Amino acid sequence: MKALRLLGMAGVVLLSFLSLTSGTVAAQSTKVQGLIKSRSGPDIILNTSQDPNMVVMLTDSTDVGQVEGLLKARSKQMSMAALIPGLAVSVEGDFNNQNVLVATKVRFKGNDLKQAKAIQAGMHDTNLQVQQNQDELAKQNAELKAQNEALEKHQEAIAANQAKIAANKAAVDAAIARFGQLDDYYIMDEVTVLFGNGKTKVDPKYASQLTALAQNASKVEGYMIEVKGYASAVGSPEVNQKLSQERAQNVSNILLQQGKVPLTRMLAPGAMGESDQVTTDKTVEGQAQNRRVVVRVLQNKAIAGVQTQAATNGPPQQ
């Protein structure tokens, strides 16, 4: 009788152990590793070995950190703004009812962040070339318009030049569409903030422009805000690099604190140093134009439905 009682108690203990073990396994979260392809608001698109377009949702409680130490056992708390395209990350979380991975923890290495930032900085030269090409194409378009007005005064020459004008216009439109695809975002709005020599504090007169930009941006679906700081080429490159970083950060603070822009909508502030001089530094006026921060409201082309619009109406206007 005593043996049967002991056997029954052992069975209860075994069942309890199996139940606890099963609950522990079920409670384990999903962990994935991949490369950030793009960001759209609180969502990031991750390229993993299982899914090249895995959607990961960030929340206000998502723990973002940079691993440190020889064994990578410690982590440094980081802002969500550090999660930029090109960054290799490790994500832990759980899938919601829409099969979207809701991130509870995101970790990355410092070297990977430096590499991703270098890639972002490299994109600047590409964007500059795109802008120069678009300016040249706009100039060509204006010249074509002037030619067309002149041809209207000479009715006999209109017929002979009609085919040439149409061909040139088609080439301009095709080139605009081609160069427009070099970036993943449309520029929806832009504000430039100028600074005094050696200054990093934002002039109060720009506060209203920045808050207005933030308010208008909230009407753009899936928007992101890009902040890039610059310096003139006068002085040492090291000092100018630091000035551009502090200027970009101070402008970002106004957008976050006064403009109430969510962290998930902000890209990491870029310190561009002496790159992209918009005019000569040989004059005081030129130097003033180069000491600046450029703020842009961006919209992801996928969200804007560029493919559908291009197939029906041609490329959208930028």
Side-chain angles (χ1 to χ4, degrees), residues 44-207:
I44 60 177
I45 306 301
L46 206 61
N47 183 1
T48 70
S49 57
Q50 296 82 17
D51 186 351
N53 294 290
M54 174 177 285
V55 179
V56 177
M57 180 185 296
L58 304 174
T59 68
D60 291 340
S61 60
T62 301
D63 180 13
V64 179
Q66 175 181 313
V67 294
E68 296 179 328
L70 184 61
L71 300 178
K72 306 301 182 183
R74 303 192 310 273
S75 63
K76 173 184 177 183
Q77 191 72 24
M78 297 291 287
S79 165
M80 291 184 190
L83 302 179
I84 60 178
L87 178 63
V89 295
S90 174
V91 180
E92 292 185 25
D94 299 294
F95 286 96
N96 61 17
N97 295 335
Q98 287 75 41
N99 200 32
V100 173
L101 182 60
V102 181
T104 57
K105 181 187 294 185
V106 181
R107 292 291 183 269
F108 55 84
K109 299 177 182 178
N111 289 339
D112 291 337
L113 180 59
K114 290 181 180 179
Q115 182 178 3
K117 286 184 176 180
I119 293 174
Q120 290 292 306
M123 286 293 293
H124 169 74
D125 293 335
T126 302
N127 293 336
L128 178 60
Q129 185 61 51
V130 171
Q131 185 61 51
Q132 291 175 345
N133 291 334
Q134 289 178 338
D135 292 343
E136 181 62 27
L137 291 171
K139 180 181 178 181
Q140 294 179 14
N141 203 28
E143 292 174 354
L144 289 173
K145 182 179 179 181
Q147 291 175 13
N148 192 45
E149 292 175 350
L151 288 173
E152 289 179 355
K153 299 177 182 179
H154 303 85
Q155 293 296 329
E156 295 179 356
I158 290 178
N161 288 277
Q162 204 62 260
K164 180 180 179 180
I165 293 173
N168 287 341
K169 185 177 185 301
V172 170
D173 292 341
I176 291 175
R178 182 171 67 255
F179 289 125
Q181 297 303 318
L182 292 178
D183 201 353
D184 291 334
Y185 296 92
Y186 290 122
I187 300 173
M188 309 302 292
D189 198 359
E190 181 175 308
V191 168
T192 299
V193 180
L194 300 179
F195 291 82
N197 186 23
K199 304 298 183 181
T200 60
K201 184 179 179 180
V202 180
D203 192 313
K205 70 180 182 181
Y206 292 107

Side-chain angles (χ1 to χ4, degrees), residues 258-299:
Q258 300 182 31
K260 306 301 181 183
V261 177
L263 277 174
T264 54
R265 298 289 184 178
M266 294 287 296
L267 295 174
M272 308 306 294
E274 299 176 0
S275 65
D276 190 19
Q277 300 288 291
V278 294
T279 186
T280 178
D281 267 323
K282 294 182 178 180
T283 65
V284 174
E285 293 78 9
Q287 295 170 18
Q289 292 297 315
N290 288 324
R291 297 190 299 266
R292 70 198 190 282
V293 168
V294 179
V295 183
R296 287 175 173 172
V297 177
L298 308 178
Q299 183 184 44

Side-chain angles (χ1 to χ4, degrees), residues 188-192 207-219 223 225-226 255 259 261 295-297:
M188 309 302 292
D189 198 359
E190 181 175 308
V191 168
T192 299
S208 60
Q209 298 181 41
L210 293 172
T211 54
L213 177 139
Q215 292 174 0
N216 293 332
S218 64
K219 304 173 186 177
Y223 75 92
I225 293 185
E226 174 190 78
L255 292 168
V261 177
V295 183
R296 287 175 173 172
V297 177

